[in-house]
Amino acid sequence: MPSPASVASAPALPVYRQVAELLARQIRAGYWHEGERLPPEAELAVTLQVAVGTLRKALALLAEQELLERVQGSGTYVKRVSRRRRLYELLRLELRHTGPGLPTARVLDVARLARPAELPAFGGPPCDEAWRVRRLRLLSGEPVALEEIWFSGARCDTLSAEELGDSMYGFYQQRFQLWIARVEDRLGAAPAPDWAAPPFGLRPGESAGHIERIAWTAGNAVAECSQTWFDPARCCYTSRLSQ
């Protein structure tokens, strides 16, 4: 039997962390290139609508994470991307007109169910049950997508919406010491699910962009399966390559 959880919003990150995550997303999406100088702090703070002191904390954090390099008397530059994965590196959805936004999520339902037969076997101890998480995905506060995420019921016996943060991959790291090493996305179109509701912009059955994803650990075990339905009027799936 399902064990539903109440609708919940993930705890908000401090503003400087939100700014750091947004800039990190822009760097990894190719909006800022290696060796490129960022705008002056006063200009960038106005663009991001934050105080200069908040921006400086964000830049210092990204410098610690080796994404940025601050050169005295010259400015702040993008460093060569570290191999360490950031929480939103694998999020490919972007706002259609303004590019990468700050990702947040609102949990709609959490339930432990019999594992659907169409799902591949998850890594770890065999288990006939799986956790299903349904979420509304937002970018810079704008609702853009619905997500349905499945992972092994053997990972934990109980789970509440309040335990989940904006990043499921961050949750896996902190709760299970489980790191996602690679993903495979299959992109297409599909009807919005029957549980679609405002503030998501599409009604059940309306045509939506659709992503099927399988995520694996470094040991090549399936960690997660998910479906994402996104509103193509508000966002798009973007992947960039550079050499």
Side-chain angles (χ1 to χ4, degrees), residues 71-99:
V71 179
Q72 185 69 31
S74 178
T76 302
Y77 295 82
V78 178
K79 289 188 66 173
R80 181 172 296 277
V81 176
S82 168
R83 295 296 297 174
R84 291 178 297 173
R85 294 197 178 275
R86 304 294 181 255
L87 292 182
Y88 302 111
E89 180 180 355
L90 299 176
L91 178 61
R92 302 299 188 190
L93 292 180
E94 298 184 0
L95 292 169
R96 181 164 291 281
H97 301 297
T98 57

mmCIF file of all heavy atoms in Angstrom, residues 71-99:
data_model
loop_
_atom_site.group_PDB
_atom_site.id
_atom_site.type_symbol
_atom_site.label_atom_id
_atom_site.label_comp_id
_atom_site.label_asym_id
_atom_site.label_seq_id
_atom_site.Cartn_x
_atom_site.Cartn_y
_atom_site.Cartn_z
ATOM 1 N N VAL A 71 41.765 37.125 -9.173
ATOM 2 C CA VAL A 71 43.096 37.688 -9.383
ATOM 3 C C VAL A 71 43.109 39.111 -8.843
ATOM 4 O O VAL A 71 42.345 39.979 -9.303
ATOM 5 C CB VAL A 71 43.471 37.678 -10.881
ATOM 6 C CG1 VAL A 71 44.854 38.286 -11.075
ATOM 7 C CG2 VAL A 71 43.409 36.260 -11.432
ATOM 8 N N GLN A 72 43.969 39.357 -7.862
ATOM 9 C CA GLN A 72 44.036 40.662 -7.217
ATOM 10 C C GLN A 72 44.315 41.748 -8.246
ATOM 11 O O GLN A 72 45.253 41.670 -9.034
ATOM 12 C CB GLN A 72 45.142 40.657 -6.150
ATOM 13 C CG GLN A 72 45.235 41.936 -5.332
ATOM 14 C CD GLN A 72 44.043 42.119 -4.414
ATOM 15 O OE1 GLN A 72 43.467 41.146 -3.951
ATOM 16 N NE2 GLN A 72 43.664 43.360 -4.160
ATOM 17 N N GLY A 73 43.454 42.785 -8.241
ATOM 18 C CA GLY A 73 43.648 43.913 -9.132
ATOM 19 C C GLY A 73 43.209 43.669 -10.562
ATOM 20 O O GLY A 73 43.278 44.581 -11.391
ATOM 21 N N SER A 74 42.749 42.470 -10.876
ATOM 22 C CA SER A 74 42.362 42.160 -12.251
ATOM 23 C C SER A 74 40.894 41.752 -12.349
ATOM 24 O O SER A 74 40.188 42.181 -13.249
ATOM 25 C CB SER A 74 43.246 41.041 -12.819
ATOM 26 O OG SER A 74 42.855 40.709 -14.132
ATOM 27 N N GLY A 75 40.426 40.891 -11.436
ATOM 28 C CA GLY A 75 39.039 40.466 -11.492
ATOM 29 C C GLY A 75 38.881 38.991 -11.194
ATOM 30 O O GLY A 75 39.792 38.336 -10.684
ATOM 31 N N THR A 76 37.720 38.469 -11.525
ATOM 32 C CA THR A 76 37.384 37.072 -11.272
ATOM 33 C C THR A 76 37.250 36.344 -12.599
ATOM 34 O O THR A 76 36.543 36.804 -13.501
ATOM 35 C CB THR A 76 36.066 36.962 -10.482
ATOM 36 O OG1 THR A 76 36.199 37.687 -9.250
ATOM 37 C CG2 THR A 76 35.733 35.514 -10.175
ATOM 38 N N TYR A 77 37.936 35.198 -12.717
ATOM 39 C CA TYR A 77 37.985 34.455 -13.971
ATOM 40 C C TYR A 77 37.477 33.028 -13.758
ATOM 41 O O TYR A 77 37.586 32.459 -12.659
ATOM 42 C CB TYR A 77 39.422 34.407 -14.499
ATOM 43 C CG TYR A 77 39.973 35.748 -14.888
ATOM 44 C CD1 TYR A 77 40.496 36.613 -13.927
ATOM 45 C CD2 TYR A 77 39.968 36.166 -16.219
ATOM 46 C CE1 TYR A 77 40.996 37.858 -14.277
ATOM 47 C CE2 TYR A 77 40.468 37.409 -16.578
ATOM 48 C CZ TYR A 77 40.987 38.246 -15.606
ATOM 49 O OH TYR A 77 41.490 39.488 -15.960
ATOM 50 N N VAL A 78 36.974 32.439 -14.847
ATOM 51 C CA VAL A 78 36.531 31.048 -14.825
ATOM 52 C C VAL A 78 37.753 30.148 -14.958
ATOM 53 O O VAL A 78 38.542 30.280 -15.890
ATOM 54 C CB VAL A 78 35.539 30.756 -15.961
ATOM 55 C CG1 VAL A 78 35.126 29.281 -15.944
ATOM 56 C CG2 VAL A 78 34.318 31.654 -15.844
ATOM 57 N N LYS A 79 37.897 29.224 -14.017
ATOM 58 C CA LYS A 79 38.997 28.258 -14.078
ATOM 59 C C LYS A 79 38.582 27.048 -14.894
ATOM 60 O O LYS A 79 37.409 26.863 -15.230
ATOM 61 C CB LYS A 79 39.390 27.800 -12.664
ATOM 62 C CG LYS A 79 40.081 28.853 -11.835
ATOM 63 C CD LYS A 79 40.607 28.267 -10.539
ATOM 64 C CE LYS A 79 41.707 27.258 -10.775
ATOM 65 N NZ LYS A 79 42.331 26.805 -9.503
ATOM 66 N N ARG A 80 39.563 26.184 -15.189
ATOM 67 C CA ARG A 80 39.261 24.917 -15.835
ATOM 68 C C ARG A 80 38.329 24.128 -14.925
ATOM 69 O O ARG A 80 38.539 24.059 -13.718
ATOM 70 C CB ARG A 80 40.549 24.126 -16.086
ATOM 71 C CG ARG A 80 40.327 22.791 -16.795
ATOM 72 C CD ARG A 80 41.639 22.165 -17.178
ATOM 73 N NE ARG A 80 42.350 22.977 -18.148
ATOM 74 C CZ ARG A 80 42.120 22.932 -19.462
ATOM 75 N NH1 ARG A 80 41.187 22.136 -19.938
ATOM 76 N NH2 ARG A 80 42.798 23.702 -20.277
ATOM 77 N N VAL A 81 37.290 23.541 -15.500
ATOM 78 C CA VAL A 81 36.254 22.888 -14.713
ATOM 79 C C VAL A 81 36.834 21.713 -13.945
ATOM 80 O O VAL A 81 37.522 20.863 -14.505
ATOM 81 C CB VAL A 81 35.108 22.413 -15.624
ATOM 82 C CG1 VAL A 81 34.074 21.634 -14.828
ATOM 83 C CG2 VAL A 81 34.455 23.612 -16.300
ATOM 84 N N SER A 82 36.542 21.671 -12.648
ATOM 85 C CA SER A 82 36.967 20.557 -11.818
ATOM 86 C C SER A 82 36.197 19.307 -12.198
ATOM 87 O O SER A 82 35.056 19.358 -12.651
ATOM 88 C CB SER A 82 36.722 20.890 -10.341
ATOM 89 O OG SER A 82 36.876 19.748 -9.551
ATOM 90 N N ARG A 83 36.803 18.140 -11.965
ATOM 91 C CA ARG A 83 36.120 16.888 -12.237
ATOM 92 C C ARG A 83 35.059 16.565 -11.182
ATOM 93 O O ARG A 83 34.202 15.729 -11.393
ATOM 94 C CB ARG A 83 37.138 15.728 -12.289
ATOM 95 C CG ARG A 83 38.120 15.832 -13.431
ATOM 96 C CD ARG A 83 37.422 15.723 -14.765
ATOM 97 N NE ARG A 83 36.783 14.424 -14.947
ATOM 98 C CZ ARG A 83 36.023 14.125 -15.984
ATOM 99 N NH1 ARG A 83 35.746 15.034 -16.900
ATOM 100 N NH2 ARG A 83 35.507 12.909 -16.095
ATOM 101 N N ARG A 84 35.111 17.250 -10.058
ATOM 102 C CA ARG A 84 34.118 16.989 -9.028
ATOM 103 C C ARG A 84 32.757 17.494 -9.484
ATOM 104 O O ARG A 84 32.634 18.621 -9.947
ATOM 105 C CB ARG A 84 34.504 17.692 -7.726
ATOM 106 C CG ARG A 84 35.722 17.098 -7.057
ATOM 107 C CD ARG A 84 36.077 17.861 -5.810
ATOM 108 N NE ARG A 84 36.439 19.230 -6.137
ATOM 109 C CZ ARG A 84 36.673 20.163 -5.235
ATOM 110 N NH1 ARG A 84 36.547 19.891 -3.958
ATOM 111 N NH2 ARG A 84 37.022 21.374 -5.591
ATOM 112 N N ARG A 85 31.720 16.680 -9.338
ATOM 113 C CA ARG A 85 30.406 17.016 -9.850
ATOM 114 C C ARG A 85 29.678 17.954 -8.893
ATOM 115 O O ARG A 85 29.659 17.760 -7.711
ATOM 116 C CB ARG A 85 29.570 15.751 -10.071
ATOM 117 C CG ARG A 85 30.157 14.877 -11.164
ATOM 118 C CD ARG A 85 29.118 13.870 -11.638
ATOM 119 N NE ARG A 85 29.673 13.066 -12.712
ATOM 120 C CZ ARG A 85 29.676 13.422 -13.980
ATOM 121 N NH1 ARG A 85 29.170 14.577 -14.327
ATOM 122 N NH2 ARG A 85 30.192 12.635 -14.909
ATOM 123 N N ARG A 86 29.063 18.979 -9.477
ATOM 124 C CA ARG A 86 28.195 19.854 -8.711
ATOM 125 C C ARG A 86 26.784 19.249 -8.699
ATOM 126 O O ARG A 86 26.431 18.420 -9.525
ATOM 127 C CB ARG A 86 28.162 21.255 -9.335
ATOM 128 C CG ARG A 86 29.560 21.874 -9.470
ATOM 129 C CD ARG A 86 30.181 22.145 -8.106
ATOM 130 N NE ARG A 86 31.502 22.756 -8.261
ATOM 131 C CZ ARG A 86 32.629 22.115 -8.066
ATOM 132 N NH1 ARG A 86 32.621 20.835 -7.731
ATOM 133 N NH2 ARG A 86 33.778 22.728 -8.209
ATOM 134 N N LEU A 87 25.942 19.727 -7.792
ATOM 135 C CA LEU A 87 24.633 19.119 -7.604
ATOM 136 C C LEU A 87 23.768 19.191 -8.850
ATOM 137 O O LEU A 87 22.988 18.294 -9.124
ATOM 138 C CB LEU A 87 23.917 19.801 -6.435
ATOM 139 C CG LEU A 87 24.519 19.572 -5.054
ATOM 140 C CD1 LEU A 87 23.663 20.261 -4.003
ATOM 141 C CD2 LEU A 87 24.628 18.084 -4.743
ATOM 142 N N TYR A 88 23.882 20.261 -9.624
ATOM 143 C CA TYR A 88 22.974 20.445 -10.751
ATOM 144 C C TYR A 88 23.677 20.322 -12.087
ATOM 145 O O TYR A 88 23.179 20.783 -13.107
ATOM 146 C CB TYR A 88 22.280 21.807 -10.644
ATOM 147 C CG TYR A 88 21.510 21.947 -9.357
ATOM 148 C CD1 TYR A 88 21.929 22.830 -8.367
ATOM 149 C CD2 TYR A 88 20.390 21.169 -9.120
ATOM 150 C CE1 TYR A 88 21.230 22.939 -7.182
ATOM 151 C CE2 TYR A 88 19.690 21.271 -7.934
ATOM 152 C CZ TYR A 88 20.110 22.164 -6.977
ATOM 153 O OH TYR A 88 19.415 22.266 -5.793
ATOM 154 N N GLU A 89 24.838 19.680 -12.114
ATOM 155 C CA GLU A 89 25.582 19.552 -13.357
ATOM 156 C C GLU A 89 24.791 18.801 -14.416
ATOM 157 O O GLU A 89 24.884 19.098 -15.603
ATOM 158 C CB GLU A 89 26.906 18.831 -13.097
ATOM 159 C CG GLU A 89 27.759 18.641 -14.340
ATOM 160 C CD GLU A 89 29.056 17.920 -14.037
ATOM 161 O OE1 GLU A 89 29.326 17.659 -12.860
ATOM 162 O OE2 GLU A 89 29.793 17.627 -14.981
ATOM 163 N N LEU A 90 23.992 17.826 -14.014
ATOM 164 C CA LEU A 90 23.296 16.978 -14.977
ATOM 165 C C LEU A 90 21.872 17.446 -15.249
ATOM 166 O O LEU A 90 21.133 16.766 -15.951
ATOM 167 C CB LEU A 90 23.287 15.527 -14.481
ATOM 168 C CG LEU A 90 24.679 14.900 -14.313
ATOM 169 C CD1 LEU A 90 24.568 13.495 -13.735
ATOM 170 C CD2 LEU A 90 25.414 14.865 -15.648
ATOM 171 N N LEU A 91 21.482 18.604 -14.720
ATOM 172 C CA LEU A 91 20.177 19.166 -15.026
ATOM 173 C C LEU A 91 20.271 19.908 -16.351
ATOM 174 O O LEU A 91 20.996 20.890 -16.483
ATOM 175 C CB LEU A 91 19.726 20.114 -13.917
ATOM 176 C CG LEU A 91 18.383 20.811 -14.154
ATOM 177 C CD1 LEU A 91 17.257 19.792 -14.272
ATOM 178 C CD2 LEU A 91 18.096 21.806 -13.053
ATOM 179 N N ARG A 92 19.523 19.442 -17.361
ATOM 180 C CA ARG A 92 19.613 19.996 -18.711
ATOM 181 C C ARG A 92 18.486 20.962 -19.039
ATOM 182 O O ARG A 92 18.462 21.506 -20.138
ATOM 183 C CB ARG A 92 19.606 18.863 -19.741
ATOM 184 C CG ARG A 92 20.717 17.844 -19.571
ATOM 185 C CD ARG A 92 22.075 18.453 -19.703
ATOM 186 N NE ARG A 92 23.120 17.431 -19.715
ATOM 187 C CZ ARG A 92 24.418 17.712 -19.621
ATOM 188 N NH1 ARG A 92 24.823 18.953 -19.500
ATOM 189 N NH2 ARG A 92 25.310 16.737 -19.642
ATOM 190 N N LEU A 93 17.543 21.162 -18.146
ATOM 191 C CA LEU A 93 16.453 22.086 -18.421
ATOM 192 C C LEU A 93 16.903 23.526 -18.161
ATOM 193 O O LEU A 93 17.550 23.812 -17.155
ATOM 194 C CB LEU A 93 15.240 21.760 -17.555
ATOM 195 C CG LEU A 93 14.527 20.447 -17.862
ATOM 196 C CD1 LEU A 93 13.339 20.263 -16.924
ATOM 197 C CD2 LEU A 93 14.074 20.367 -19.312
ATOM 198 N N GLU A 94 16.539 24.411 -19.083
ATOM 199 C CA GLU A 94 16.850 25.827 -18.954
ATOM 200 C C GLU A 94 15.620 26.639 -19.341
ATOM 201 O O GLU A 94 14.811 26.202 -20.168
ATOM 202 C CB GLU A 94 18.012 26.223 -19.870
ATOM 203 C CG GLU A 94 19.319 25.532 -19.566
ATOM 204 C CD GLU A 94 20.464 26.039 -20.442
ATOM 205 O OE1 GLU A 94 20.207 26.944 -21.278
ATOM 206 O OE2 GLU A 94 21.584 25.537 -20.296
ATOM 207 N N LEU A 95 15.488 27.818 -18.748
ATOM 208 C CA LEU A 95 14.429 28.726 -19.141
ATOM 209 C C LEU A 95 14.620 29.120 -20.600
ATOM 210 O O LEU A 95 15.752 29.379 -21.046
ATOM 211 C CB LEU A 95 14.434 29.961 -18.243
ATOM 212 C CG LEU A 95 14.038 29.698 -16.790
ATOM 213 C CD1 LEU A 95 14.342 30.914 -15.928
ATOM 214 C CD2 LEU A 95 12.571 29.301 -16.682
ATOM 215 N N ARG A 96 13.544 29.150 -21.340
ATOM 216 C CA ARG A 96 13.655 29.327 -22.788
ATOM 217 C C ARG A 96 14.289 30.660 -23.173
ATOM 218 O O ARG A 96 15.046 30.726 -24.147
ATOM 219 C CB ARG A 96 12.262 29.196 -23.421
ATOM 220 C CG ARG A 96 12.254 29.349 -24.936
ATOM 221 C CD ARG A 96 10.973 28.847 -25.541
ATOM 222 N NE ARG A 96 10.849 27.402 -25.446
ATOM 223 C CZ ARG A 96 11.465 26.543 -26.270
ATOM 224 N NH1 ARG A 96 12.282 26.998 -27.220
ATOM 225 N NH2 ARG A 96 11.286 25.250 -26.137
ATOM 226 N N HIS A 97 14.012 31.713 -22.440
ATOM 227 C CA HIS A 97 14.476 33.034 -22.863
ATOM 228 C C HIS A 97 15.640 33.574 -22.042
ATOM 229 O O HIS A 97 16.315 34.502 -22.489
ATOM 230 C CB HIS A 97 13.305 34.030 -22.831
ATOM 231 C CG HIS A 97 12.153 33.632 -23.705
ATOM 232 N ND1 HIS A 97 12.262 33.528 -25.070
ATOM 233 C CD2 HIS A 97 10.877 33.280 -23.390
ATOM 234 C CE1 HIS A 97 11.098 33.155 -25.588
ATOM 235 N NE2 HIS A 97 10.249 32.993 -24.583
ATOM 236 N N THR A 98 15.897 32.999 -20.873
ATOM 237 C CA THR A 98 16.952 33.558 -20.019
ATOM 238 C C THR A 98 18.032 32.555 -19.651
ATOM 239 O O THR A 98 18.966 32.891 -18.932
ATOM 240 C CB THR A 98 16.342 34.139 -18.727
ATOM 241 O OG1 THR A 98 15.594 33.121 -18.054
ATOM 242 C CG2 THR A 98 15.421 35.307 -19.045
ATOM 243 N N GLY A 99 17.931 31.319 -20.116
ATOM 244 C CA GLY A 99 19.000 30.352 -19.884
ATOM 245 C C GLY A 99 18.917 29.690 -18.524
ATOM 246 O O GLY A 99 17.852 29.626 -17.906
#
